[in-house]
């Protein structure tokens, strides 16, 4: 004979179901944090009763537009559509124009004016310019920047370029790898760039003679060199672009990287626009910096590679700095002998 179950015991079942549903909800939330595919479910603010009422009535609002009265029955997230149009009509074309345009300008400049050679012969005596610490920071930041620029360009334009070539499967795998690299390297780049900027701040404070440097076009074309201290006005512009646009790119990147701090989709859309515009602009300017630091100017690359520059280079490109440090010049042979015996000691540059 079956025992009859008391009425109050029946509540155990719905209670158990409730606990199960609640724990599933919690698991869902935890998964959403771990799985980028699901993060949208928590990143998008809830659609409340008012929003549904608005949608049913066909009204337009700041976030939703119902196109049923245009007879095609689409529920459109209007702010998402505005973001998509800003990105497609303005941001992506700006990226192409800035980056490709800069490559063309640099190539033309090189073909017309060629490399900026030293006016006088080298003396063979070397001045310490960049410490090992700053060089290591510079090359780590530069490597991360290049990886972020390549993966970022792939996120922006890879679909149009690689999808038709590789097909859906290979393209999707490449994109998820790209996104992973971009998302993880971004914060690391941010931390190291801030350390580099703090370390170089004192040398990059604008001075009066910087105006004259601009007026003379930095001496990049033709003969003659305008006054410059440890950093010339062009380097200071690069520094302050990194300290402003660079920081904006890092902060907007973090807003998108960590969607679990309550920021809504609108905030993330704005972060995306700021991030892309800043990053495309910086990539274009970085191409100019890389050109000047390698092909463009004789003697510059060895500064960041070895830490030392020739006296002639210092006198011609950074005359005011040269006047302060000329007593530190070391014969090149002495430097080579020291690096062969490799004590690991190197003189600390008076700046940089
Ligand atoms: C392969 C790429 C790069 C090359 C060949 C390169 C080369 C150089 C060289 C030669 C200098 C020293 C110039 C001098 O002694 O006056 C320098 C300085 C510097 N570089 Fe780069 N660089 C590269 C990429 C980058 C990137 C991607 C960044 C930042 C994201 C960067 C940030 C800087 C900064 C902040 C300075 C110091 C300028 C100042 O004092 O204001 N570099 N670079």
């Amino acid at each position: 004979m079956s025992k009859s179950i008391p009425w109050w015991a029946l509540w155990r079942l719905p209670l158990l179901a409730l606990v199960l549903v609640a724990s599933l909800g919690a698991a869902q939330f935890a998964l959403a944090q771990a799985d980028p595919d699901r993060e949208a479910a928590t990143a998008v603010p809830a659609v409340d009763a008012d929003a549904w009422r608005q949608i049913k009535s066909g009204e337009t609002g700041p976030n939703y537009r119902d196109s049923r009265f245009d007879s095609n029955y689409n529920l459109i997230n209007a702010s998402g559509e505005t973001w998509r149009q800003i990105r497609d009509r303005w941001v992506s074309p700006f990226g192409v124009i800035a980056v490709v345009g800069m490559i063309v300008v640099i190539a033309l400049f090189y073909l017309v004016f060629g490399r900026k050679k030293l006016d006088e012969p080298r003396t063979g005596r070397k001045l310490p310019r960049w410490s090992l610490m700053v060089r290591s920071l510079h090359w780590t930041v530069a490597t991360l920047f290049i990886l972020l620029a390549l993966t970022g360009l792939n996120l922006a334009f890879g679909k149009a370029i690689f999808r038709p070539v590789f097909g859906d499967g290979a393209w999707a795998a490449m994109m998820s790898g790209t996104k992973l690299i971009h998302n993880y390297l971004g914060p690391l780049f941010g931390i190291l760039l801030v350390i580099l900027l703090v370390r170089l701040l004192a040398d990059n404070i604008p001075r009066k003679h910087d105006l004259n440097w601009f007026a003379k076009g930095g001496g990049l074309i033709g003969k003659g060199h305008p006054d410059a201290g440890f950093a010339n006005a062009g380097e200071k512009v690069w520094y302050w672009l990194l300290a402003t646009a660079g920081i904006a790119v890092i902060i907007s990147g973090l807003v998108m990287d960590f969607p679990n701090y309550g920021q809504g989709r609108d905030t993330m859309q704005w972060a995306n626009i700021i991030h892309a515009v800043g990053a495309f602009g910086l990539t274009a300017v970085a191409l100019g910096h890389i050109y000047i630091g390698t092909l463009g100017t004789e003697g510059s690359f060895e500064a960041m590679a070895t830490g030392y520059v020739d006296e002639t280079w210092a006198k011609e490109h950074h005359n005011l700095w040269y006047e302060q440090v000329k007593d530190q010049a070391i014969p090149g042979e002495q430097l080579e002998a020291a690096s062969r015996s490799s004590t690991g000691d190197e003189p600390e540059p008076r700046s940089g």
Side-chain angles (χ1 to χ4, degrees), residues 307-327:
Y308 289 86
V309 291
D310 194 90
E311 259 184 335
T312 305
W313 183 90
K315 217 183 294 177
E316 293 184 5
H317 290 288
H318 298 271
N319 60 330
L320 304 177
W321 172 68
Y322 172 73
E323 288 305 323
Q324 293 167 11
V325 297
K326 57 185 178 195
D327 56 311

Side-chain angles (χ1 to χ4, degrees), residues 5-23:
I5 302 166
W7 64 269
W8 46 264
L10 288 175
W11 282 106
R12 277 190 230 165
L13 272 176
L15 203 67
L16 185 66
L18 208 69
V19 171
L20 275 173
V21 170
S23 55

Side-chain angles (χ1 to χ4, degrees), residues 277-346:
V277 171
F280 288 145
L282 282 180
T283 304
V285 184
L287 290 172
H289 171 75
I290 293 169
Y291 167 74
I292 295 171
T294 51
L295 261 187
T297 326
E298 179 184 352
S300 287
F301 186 76
E302 58 201 59
M304 234 351 138
T306 67
Y308 289 86
V309 291
D310 194 90
E311 259 184 335
T312 305
W313 183 90
K315 217 183 294 177
E316 293 184 5
H317 290 288
H318 298 271
N319 60 330
L320 304 177
W321 172 68
Y322 172 73
E323 288 305 323
Q324 293 167 11
V325 297
K326 57 185 178 195
D327 56 311
Q328 291 180 14
I330 314 161
E333 308 80 57
Q334 189 181 323
L335 207 63
E336 272 165 32
S339 80
R340 269 199 299 276
S341 64
S342 183
T343 55
D345 308 332
E346 56 170 289

Side-chain angles (χ1 to χ4, degrees), residues 142-156:
T143 308
L144 288 173
F145 183 95
I146 291 168
L147 287 172
L148 287 165
L150 291 175
T151 50
L153 288 170
N154 195 24
L155 288 173

Side-chain angles (χ1 to χ4, degrees), residues 29-296:
F29 183 74
L31 269 174
Q33 307 304 307
D35 179 357
D37 291 341
R38 289 165 176 247
E39 72 194 21
T42 54
V44 179
V47 177
D48 58 14
D50 280 343
W52 281 119
R53 213 166 291 127
Q54 199 182 7
I55 290 161
K56 276 173 89 177
S57 74
E59 264 177 61
T60 56
N63 286 319
Y64 297 99
R65 190 164 65 233
D66 179 4
S67 69
R68 84 184 65 184
F69 300 110
D70 303 339
S71 81
N72 53 3
Y73 289 90
N74 274 327
L75 176 63
I76 296 168
N77 175 341
S79 82
E81 178 58 13
T82 309
W83 165 78
R84 197 182 68 82
Q85 294 204 6
I86 295 176
R87 190 201 58 183
D88 289 356
R89 286 192 189 169
W90 301 101
V91 180
S92 301
F94 164 72
V96 176
I97 292 168
V99 175
V100 178
M102 186 57 112
I103 293 171
V104 172
V105 168
I106 291 173
L108 286 177
F109 188 90
Y110 181 68
L111 289 175
V112 175
F113 298 105
R115 183 169 219 212
K116 176 91 184 158
K117 297 228 174 75
L118 292 173
D119 296 334
E120 301 293 324
R122 291 170 180 249
T123 68
R125 288 159 58 80
K126 307 284 173 193
L127 283 164
R129 182 159 169 86
W130 299 104
S131 67
L132 183 63
M133 209 280 273
V134 176
R135 277 182 285 144
S136 315
L137 256 176
H138 173 269
W139 290 121
T140 314
V141 165
T143 308
L144 288 173
F145 183 95
I146 291 168
L147 287 172
L148 287 165
L150 291 175
T151 50
L153 288 170
N154 195 24
L155 288 173
F157 305 112
K159 186 175 175 182
I161 298 170
F162 297 119
R163 198 181 185 182
V165 181
F166 297 145
D168 280 358
W171 168 75
M174 183 177 98
M175 283 328 261
S176 49
T178 293
K179 187 164 141 47
L180 212 68
I181 294 171
H182 198 82
N183 288 2
Y184 278 91
L185 294 188
L188 184 61
F189 167 79
I191 294 166
L192 295 180
L193 180 69
V194 170
I195 298 174
L196 182 66
L197 291 174
V198 169
R199 181 71 179 73
L200 299 181
L201 175 64
D203 291 320
N204 283 281
I205 306 293
R207 307 260 180 237
K208 225 171 164 187
H209 57 250
D210 294 330
L211 290 175
N212 186 44
W213 191 95
F214 286 123
K216 293 198 173 152
L220 211 58
I221 303 166
K223 296 258 169 213
H225 293 277
D227 281 350
F230 181 84
N232 64 37
E235 286 171 321
K236 289 183 187 178
V237 168
W238 177 221
Y239 176 93
W240 286 106
L241 268 176
L242 289 169
T244 50
I247 298 299
V249 169
I250 291 163
I251 293 174
S252 52
L254 292 174
V255 169
M256 292 186 286
D257 236 349
F258 298 98
N260 40 338
Y261 285 97
Q263 64 271 45
R265 177 165 280 202
D266 281 353
T267 309
M268 309 255 280
Q269 284 164 182
W270 281 115
N272 175 279
I273 301 287
I274 294 167
H275 190 76
V277 171
F280 288 145
L282 282 180
T283 304
V285 184
L287 290 172
H289 171 75
I290 293 169
Y291 167 74
I292 295 171
T294 51
L295 261 187

